[in-house]
Amino acid sequence: MEMQFQSILLPGIDAKRPLVISGPCSAESEEQVLQTAHELAKTGVKIFRAGIWKPRTKPGGFEGVGVIGLPWLKKVKEQTGMYTAVEVATERHVFEALKHGVDILWIGARTTANPFAMQEIADALKGVDIPVLVKNPVNPDLELWIGAIERLYNAGLTRIGAIHRGFSTYDKKIYRNQPAWHIAIELRRRLPNLPIVCDPSHIGGKRELISPLCQQAMDLGFDGLIVETHCNPDCAWSDKSQQITPETLGLILDTLVIRDTTQSTESLSTLRHQIDQMDDQLLELLAKRMRISGEIAQYKKEHNMPVLQTGRYDEILTKRVNQGVEMNMSDEFLKTVFEAIHEESVRHQIELINK
Ligand code: PEP
Ligand code: MN
């Protein structure tokens, strides 16, 4: 389906990259909301975010202040002139947010992953003209992300944007949520006129990663940034290790290098980023393969089996080389790669068995 999106920019907001949305993970009190908003307004931020209803992994955590926080956001608008944005996950959230004059809605990652919830929100928004930003689903599923966008579009919304917040993984490594940039890049290819905002806070999960992630997002041609800020991050009620002060955000924004995305060097750097990302994935996969091969060595040791089983080796080599040739790679290259992998794997197994 061909979707034609309208601009998500509101009156008075500059079309220059990056579009910046900032504010606390959660609204906690009127004072915290207003203080953070005033500090952000000083750095020139025009859109204030705050979570009113918080989806939590386990019950018992802070689940947001709820509707009592919406009048605080109204005060933010009156006192600072900023626009406000909140996350909605149900039909009731939509009605309450609209009733209280919220300007922009966003859909959280857990909600995007749920087609029933998405349809309920889309139905609740029929006939309403408001910008809606759709976070990627928690799992790396581009079709599910596009599907959520389509549900809103089919309900008549055209001011739609996407937020890339990374993908949940079982092994937490450097990032809280794996960036998997190639998925956002593929979204751009599929829906070229859809604005994409990067959420370095939920990708990084740590303060020190916010600045490099913002720069990376700009280098990859993202349109905007949504960054969690708090007047007193160490005391935040949710996501405190990733929240920064409005002042730090100001410094980060001042040092960002914004390159012209229309220049050819930009496409080159986008492609190089893709290559770097893939090399990272290759390394992770190779390391995982070695670990599993180690488990096989253990099994062979326990069952008194030889390390090298020729039948298995031939199977790997012939099958993989044929498969790779089908994928337009040369058989010489494929033989070199698989022989090297297999050789290293055997060396590793012998080492383990003789331990
Ligand atoms: C948030 O923006 O605070 C949030 C809950 O994010 P996500 O849906 O990306 O986890
Ligand atoms: Mn958060």
Side-chain angles (χ1 to χ4, degrees), residues 36-302:
T36 310
H38 279 285
E39 290 174 15
L40 279 169
K42 268 193 255 161
T43 69
V45 172
K46 304 253 168 30
I47 307 170
F48 184 77
R49 64 149 281 159
I52 293 289
W53 300 281
K54 300 302 298 178
R56 303 315 295 268
T57 305
K58 289 189 178 144
F62 170 58
E63 299 199 316
V65 292
V67 283
I68 58 156
L70 291 168
W72 308 339
L73 298 184
K74 225 179 200 161
K75 284 198 180 164
V76 167
K77 285 173 70 156
E78 288 158 10
Q79 294 182 16
T80 68
M82 274 193 271
Y83 291 108
T84 56
V86 301
E87 172 178 343
V88 290
T90 66
E91 179 184 42
R92 190 177 72 86
H93 295 168
V94 170
F95 292 138
E96 292 293 349
L98 295 177
K99 194 168 90 191
H100 288 84
V102 169
D103 304 288
I104 299 171
L105 305 176
W106 88 80
I107 311 293
R110 292 156 195 80
T111 309
T112 307
N114 178 350
F116 291 131
M118 275 315 303
Q119 195 55 52
E120 176 184 314
I121 294 168
D123 291 341
L125 282 168
K126 270 198 183 122
V128 181
D129 180 24
I130 187 170
V132 183
L133 305 175
V134 183
K135 286 200 171 195
N136 62 260
V138 276
N139 53 323
D141 185 340
L142 178 63
E143 298 310 320
L144 198 54
W145 196 359
I146 295 178
I149 292 166
E150 259 179 42
R151 285 179 198 277
L152 296 172
Y153 191 83
N154 290 346
L157 289 145
T158 53
R159 295 198 283 160
I160 302 175
I163 300 176
H164 176 51
R165 52 77 82 193
F167 302 90
S168 185
T169 50
Y170 185 67
D171 304 333
K172 298 264 178 288
K173 294 261 168 57
I174 308 174
Y175 302 106
R176 178 178 176 192
N177 290 294
Q178 274 305 318
W181 299 108
H182 59 284
I183 297 180
I185 292 167
E186 180 60 12
L187 178 67
R188 162 76 21 111
R189 199 187 62 78
R190 294 269 297 272
L191 303 174
N193 83 336
L194 178 78
I196 311 181
V197 171
C198 178
D199 177 343
S201 310
H202 291 90
I203 292 178
K206 300 180 198 71
R207 289 174 201 161
E208 61 274 22
L209 289 177
I210 308 299
S211 171
L213 283 167
C214 286
Q215 185 60 55
Q216 201 165 355
M218 287 301 100
D219 292 345
L220 287 170
F222 279 76
D223 302 281
L225 299 167
I226 176 165
V227 184
E228 287 188 342
T229 50
H230 193 289
C231 53
N232 189 357
D234 287 334
C235 297
W237 297 0
S238 58
D239 288 354
K240 71 173 172 192
S241 47
Q242 70 196 33
Q243 301 207 58
I244 54 175
T245 61
E247 193 191 351
T248 305
L249 176 68
L251 293 173
I252 292 175
L253 295 177
D254 283 347
T255 52
L256 273 187
V257 180
I258 312 293
R259 299 177 182 96
D260 180 359
T261 44
T262 56
Q263 278 174 16
S264 59
T265 52
E266 187 64 23
S267 333
L268 186 60
S269 105
T270 305
L271 292 170
R272 283 189 176 140
H273 271 291
Q274 274 176 277
I275 292 281
D276 288 346
Q277 176 79 28
M278 283 170 194
D279 286 346
D280 276 350
Q281 288 173 343
L282 279 175
L283 283 174
E284 292 227 355
L285 273 178
L286 282 173
K288 245 185 215 161
R289 193 187 190 284
M290 286 302 161
R291 276 203 299 276
I292 293 175
S293 157
E295 284 170 29
I296 292 181
Q298 200 55 42
Y299 182 93
K300 286 178 180 167
K301 188 176 180 177
E302 281 162 22

